[in-house]
Each structure stands twice: as C-alpha cells, then as structure tokens.
Amino acid sequence: MGGKAVATGKDRQKQLAREHYERQMQRRIEREQKAKRTAIIGSTVGVVIVVGGIVAAVALLGGNDTGTEAAASPSAAATPADTAQASASTGPKPYDAKTGTCDYVKDSSGGTVKDVGMPPTKVKTEPATKTMTFKTNLGDIVVELNNAKAPCTTNSLEFLAKKNYYDGSKCHRLGSDQFPMLQCGDPTAKADGKNQTDGQGGPGYVMAEENLQGAQYKRGVMAMAKTNAPGSTGSQFFLVYGDIGLTPDYTPVGTITKGLDILDKVNKAGNIPGAMGDGTGAPKQTVEIKDVTIAGKS
C-alpha cells in the first residue's frame, strides 16, 4: 500500500511536469506564430527582439515589445474611429471629409530623407479609383488605387510620382513563402543585402493610416508600410503575391491588376537573407522602379 502511494505520487509529479512542459511549448508556439505575423512590414529600422527563440524583425515595425502592440492586437486598429482617435493624439489627423483635407506632418523618426516637399492638403475622393503604373526593369506593375477610401494616401503617392521620387529606386525587401511580399519605396535603399540602412528612407513626412476596416492582405494587395506607431505611413509600400495574416494596421491602398507574374518571378529567384533572421532579405532578382505615373484626373 505504502509503496503504491509513493509510486502514485511520482506518477502525479511526472504528469504535472509533463503538463507544465506542454503548456510552455504551446505558449512558445503561439509566441513564435505571433512574431511571424507581426514581424513583416515596417519602414524604419529599430531594435531587434528575440521572441520565443525567434529573432523578430521588430526593426521593421518599431522599437520595442510595447510599441508593437498595434500590429500584434487585432483590436488595436480595427476601426477608422480607433485609428482617428489614436492618430489625433499621437500624430497626423485622418482625412477630414467635411473640409476635404488631409494632414501631412514632419517625420521625426530620424530616418534618411529624400525631401521633395509636402503634398497639397486639399484632396478629392473622385474619381473613386486611379491607375498607378510602375515601370520597372522587369516590366510594368499596374495598381488600381482606391482613391475613395484612401484619398490621403493616394494623394501622397500621386504627389511623389509627379516629383519623380521613386524613379531609380530599388525594392529592398523580399519575403518568402511564409511572408509573400515585396517591399519598395525607400529611395535610398541599395537592395544588395549588405546595406544595413535599407528601409530607413522616406519623404520626410508621415500621414494617418486609412481604409483599415476589415483590411486583409491577400494576393494582389498593395499596402503601405509603417512603423509601430499610429500615423507613421510614409512612402514605403509592399506588394503582396500570396496571403499574409497581418492585423489591419497597414493602409490597403490598391489592387494589383497587372504584374503579379513579375512578383512571382522575383519570389522564385529568392532573397539574400538579411541580418534580421526573419526569412526576409534583398531580392536576388533586382527590381528597379524606372518611372511611376498615375492616371485619373480629380
């Protein structure tokens, strides 16, 4: 009887230890999955954090674990009202439908600036769509911009295109089958896998995020990169050639109508793994933007 009681106690201890280990592993898996979801898109380099044994590219989302809350929590930017409230207190204000104006403010993040001035603040939501054409060394990539739902972002892109801001720039970051996107829009990026400052370049101004309600980042979406803070959208963007499980924090500005085959080709060529260790890096197949035009007069 006594020996059996001792054996049962040991068995119970083993069971508790096994359950504790399983809970630890489950939490680790959840952290790793969360890190993969949130370590995708951003526009400035900050601090690297190890999450669940994986080096998360928080550098491309913001500075620290607290700062990435907006990208990690689905409720952090789930509605335009939430976004408006956050932006109003921390940065640029969202589009004002009553006055038809946008708010562009100086970017104080300290990144490299290609200064071409500020976009006009008065905008129109008509026409509802505009056609953006990227002429690249691999062919044209055409995007139908959602001017009705993302007027400030569309206006900014149109302004930058007229200023030849993107001309000669190279797409600096390619994901993988897990992170199927190509990131572009840093005019200072070398995109050679060696330059540690790739992703830090911007136009010197930022704006509020738009069109976040129900935002999904599926194959064919063009969305804007940002840091971990609300109201930090600049000139960088990402083109999605698969499905990415991001939270709705990045402005979906348009839909790719031509050129997905180019993105597939670039993806197939692979990337030069970056120092972040998140599976992304400079694309082996160079993608250089030669010229950008936007058609559809307001």
Side-chain angles (χ1 to χ4, degrees), residues 249-261:
D249 296 304
Y250 310 90
T251 300
V253 68
T255 303
I256 301 168
T257 58
K258 179 183 178 182
L260 276 171
D261 57 327

Side-chain angles (χ1 to χ4, degrees), residues 85-229:
Q85 183 177 4
S87 296
S89 61
T90 61
K93 296 178 178 62
Y95 172 69
D96 188 333
K98 291 182 180 179
T99 60
T101 57
C102 297
D103 189 27
Y104 304 103
V105 302
K106 184 177 180 180
D107 182 3
S108 59
S109 66
T112 306
V113 174
K114 180 179 177 180
D115 190 356
V116 292
M118 289 274 196
T121 58
K122 193 75 173 179
V123 302
K124 294 181 180 180
T125 56
E126 293 292 338
T129 62
K130 294 188 177 185
T131 302
M132 186 174 196
T133 302
F134 295 96
K135 293 189 178 299
T136 79
N137 59 313
L138 301 177
D140 289 357
I141 298 175
V142 181
V143 179
E144 184 179 272
L145 300 176
N146 193 336
N147 186 48
K149 293 186 177 181
C152 297
T153 309
T154 299
N155 180 59
S156 173
L157 291 171
E158 190 165 14
F159 170 77
L160 294 175
K162 289 178 179 178
K163 294 291 184 178
N164 299 319
Y165 175 88
Y166 292 113
D167 295 8
S169 66
K170 296 178 180 179
C171 297
H172 63 278
R173 190 173 184 226
L174 178 70
S176 60
D177 290 337
Q178 288 72 39
F179 307 138
M181 63 87 207
L182 178 68
Q183 189 169 337
C184 318
D186 174 359
T188 66
K190 302 298 183 185
D192 58 5
K194 301 176 183 178
N195 187 22
Q196 297 300 313
T197 63
D198 280 8
Q200 293 189 35
Y205 66 83
V206 290
M207 73 199 87
E209 287 67 55
E210 302 180 288
N211 194 27
L212 299 182
Q213 182 69 50
Q216 294 183 325
Y217 307 92
K218 296 183 177 295
R219 178 176 170 85
V221 167
M222 173 180 168
M224 303 303 294
K226 62 184 285 292
T227 69
N228 58 320

Side-chain angles (χ1 to χ4, degrees), residues 36-84:
K36 288 180 179 179
R37 288 197 303 270
T38 62
I40 311 295
I41 312 298
S43 57
T44 60
V45 174
V47 181
V48 180
I49 296 177
V50 178
V51 181
I54 289 182
V55 178
V58 179
L60 300 171
L61 278 171
N64 53 47
D65 203 27
T66 302
T68 60
E69 181 180 357
S73 171
S75 63
T79 68
D82 290 339
T83 303

Side-chain angles (χ1 to χ4, degrees), residues 234-263:
S235 63
Q236 292 187 43
F237 57 90
F238 57 102
L239 305 171
V240 184
Y241 53 85
D243 293 349
I244 304 178
L246 288 169
T247 53
D249 296 304
Y250 310 90
T251 300
V253 68
T255 303
I256 301 168
T257 58
K258 179 183 178 182
L260 276 171
D261 57 327
I262 294 174
L263 299 178

